[in-house]
Amino acid sequence: MTTATAGERAREAVGGGEVPVRWVWLAAWPVTAVFVLSNAATPLYVLWQREMGFGRGTLTVVFACYIAGLLGSLLVCGIVSDRVGRKPVLLPALGLALVACLVFATAGGVGALIAARLCTGIAVGAVVSAGMAAVTDVAGPSRRRLAALLASCAMVFGAGLGPLLAGVLSETLPGPAVTVFAMEAVLLVSAVVVVVRMPVGAAHEGRGEGGRGAGGWVRVPGVPRGAGGQLALGIAVFAPGITATSFVLSLGPSLLAGLLGTGSRVVSGALAFAMFLSATGVQFAVRRLGRHTVLAYGAGATALGMAALVLAVRTGSVAALAGAALLAGAGQGLGQLGGLSLLNSAVPGARLAEANAALNVGGYLPAGLLPVSAGYLSDAVGLTTGATVFGTVLAGLAVAGGGVVLLGRWWASSAA
C-alpha cells in the first residue's frame, strides 16, 4: 500500500468531510500572488515616466488598461469557472500573469506597459472570480465566513505587498524592473503548484447542481434570483472604496513627490503597503460584526479618507495624505469583506464565481473611469484642483452608499 500524500488525503476529504484548515489558507495563496503583480508596478511608474516621458493623464490610462483587461475577464471567467471548474480558469490565468512579468521586465515604451497591464488585468479578473470561489469551495459550507475573510484579505494583502517589495527591491538592487518581476515570477510559480494540488473535488469543479446554468459563455455576470439586493449593497460600498485606493495607487507617487519633494520608490511602495495593510487588519478586527454594520463602517471610512485627501492636497500635509491612504484602504477592505460575505450567504456554490465577478465589475468600473478622469483633469488644472474634485465626488458617493446600506438594514429588520 502506498502512502497518500497530504494533497491526496485532502482531496479525499472533499468528498467526505472538511479539508484541513491549512488548505483553506493555501487556497488563498494564488489570489495573493496575482495581486502582488497587480500593484508591483506602482513604485516604478515614476521611473518609467522619467525614462519614457509621459504625463499624469497617460499614467492613469496605463493604470486603466489594467481595469479594462480585468473587466473583460470578468465577463467570461466567472461563468466559465462555474461551468468547467476552478483549475481550468486559474492555471491559464497564472500563465498569463507570468507573461505580464516578462513584458514588464523588458518594457521599452508605453505600449509595452499597456500590454503588460492588460495581461495583468485579465489574470486578476480570473482570480477574483474563480480564485475566490475556490477558497470557498475548499473551506466547505460550515466555514464560509472564514473563506470570505481569507479570500478578501488575500486580495488586499497581495495588493499591498506588491508595491512594498517592488519599492525596496528596485531601490536596493540593480536592474529595478528585471529584479522586481523576476521575484514576482517566483511567487507565481509557487501559486501554480498550489493550484495543481488544490483539493477541489468534482462537485466543486463545475459539475455540481446549477454549474451549467442557462445563458451564454460571455455576458455581464449576475447573481441568482433573490440575491440582487445583497449584490447591490456590496457594490454600493465596495465601488467607492476600491476607487479611492485606485486613485492613491495611480497618482499617489505624484502626490508624494509634490508634498515631500522625493521620488523614492520605497516611500511610495510603503504608502501603498500601509494602505492595504489597513485593509487587511480592519477585516480581522470586524470579522464578528454583522454584514450591514461592516458595510456601513466601510462607507464611513471611504468618506473620511476622501476628506483627508482634500485636506492633504490643499494644505500640503503629508500626515493627512497618509491618513487618507489608511482610511481608503479600510474603506475598500470593509466594503469587500461585507460584499463577499453577503454573496457567500446568499449564493449557491455553483454560481459563486459569477457572483464574485458581478461584485467586482460593479466595483472596478468606477475604479477605472474616475481616476483616469482625475488624472486628465489634474494635467489640465493642476493636481491640487483635480484631486479636490475627485475627493469631493467620491466622498459623496461613499455617503450615498452608506445611506443605501442603512436603508437596506432598516428594510430587512422591518420585514422580519
Side-chain angles (χ1 to χ4, degrees), residues 371-403:
V372 169
S373 301
Y376 277 106
L377 181 63
S378 297
D379 280 340
V381 300
L383 189 55
T384 298
T385 302
T388 298
V389 172
F390 173 86
T392 302
V393 170
L394 197 59
L397 292 175
V399 170

Side-chain angles (χ1 to χ4, degrees), residues 162-176:
L164 179 65
L165 286 176
V168 172
L169 292 174
S170 66
E171 288 278 9
T172 58
L173 297 176

Side-chain angles (χ1 to χ4, degrees), residues 40-316:
T42 298
L44 299 174
Y45 285 140
V46 174
L47 178 63
W48 283 324
Q49 276 186 288
R50 184 168 63 247
E51 292 178 349
M52 301 176 189
F54 55 84
R56 288 187 291 267
T58 301
L59 175 59
T60 53
V61 169
V62 171
F63 185 85
C65 285
Y66 157 79
I67 304 292
L70 189 153
L71 291 173
S73 178
L74 290 173
L75 299 180
V76 181
C77 289
I79 298 161
V80 172
S81 174
D82 284 336
R83 294 184 180 184
V84 305
R86 311 306 185 206
K87 294 182 183 181
V89 173
L90 289 174
L91 290 174
L94 290 168
L96 193 60
L98 286 165
V99 171
C101 286
L102 177 62
V103 176
F104 269 131
T106 58
V110 173
L113 297 180
I114 288 175
R117 289 296 282 171
L118 278 170
C119 290
T120 302
I122 294 170
V124 169
V127 162
V128 297
S129 51
M132 289 184 166
V135 178
T136 302
D137 291 346
V138 172
S142 67
R143 296 188 292 207
R144 283 200 159 204
R145 286 186 71 95
L146 174 65
L149 176 64
L150 293 183
S152 184
C153 287
M155 173 179 168
V156 292
F157 181 71
L161 185 61
L164 179 65
L165 286 176
V168 172
L169 292 174
S170 66
E171 288 278 9
T172 58
L173 297 176
V178 174
T179 299
V180 167
F181 292 104
M183 176 62 71
E184 167 58 9
V186 172
L187 300 182
L188 289 169
V189 169
S190 71
V192 170
V193 174
V194 169
V195 170
V196 168
R197 303 190 65 208
M198 187 183 296
V200 181
H204 295 140
E205 281 292 356
R207 291 187 289 274
E209 183 180 352
R212 297 187 178 276
W217 289 81
V218 180
R219 66 173 187 263
V220 176
V223 293
R225 187 183 303 275
Q230 288 89 338
L231 176 64
L233 291 178
I235 290 174
V237 179
F238 177 52
I242 197 169
T243 302
T245 57
S246 296
F247 179 82
V248 174
L249 285 171
S250 59
L251 290 182
S254 298
L255 286 169
L256 276 175
L259 295 178
L260 292 178
T262 177
S264 171
R265 295 185 291 277
V266 174
V267 174
S268 62
L271 178 69
F273 178 73
M275 178 171 68
F276 286 111
L277 186 63
S278 169
T280 304
V282 75
Q283 292 182 67
F284 280 96
V286 303
R287 66 187 184 278
R288 300 187 188 281
L289 297 181
R291 301 178 182 97
H292 289 83
T293 301
V294 169
L295 287 172
Y297 284 164
T302 300
L304 289 174
M306 291 303 95
L309 175 68
V310 173
L311 177 64
V313 298
R314 305 301 296 188
T315 65

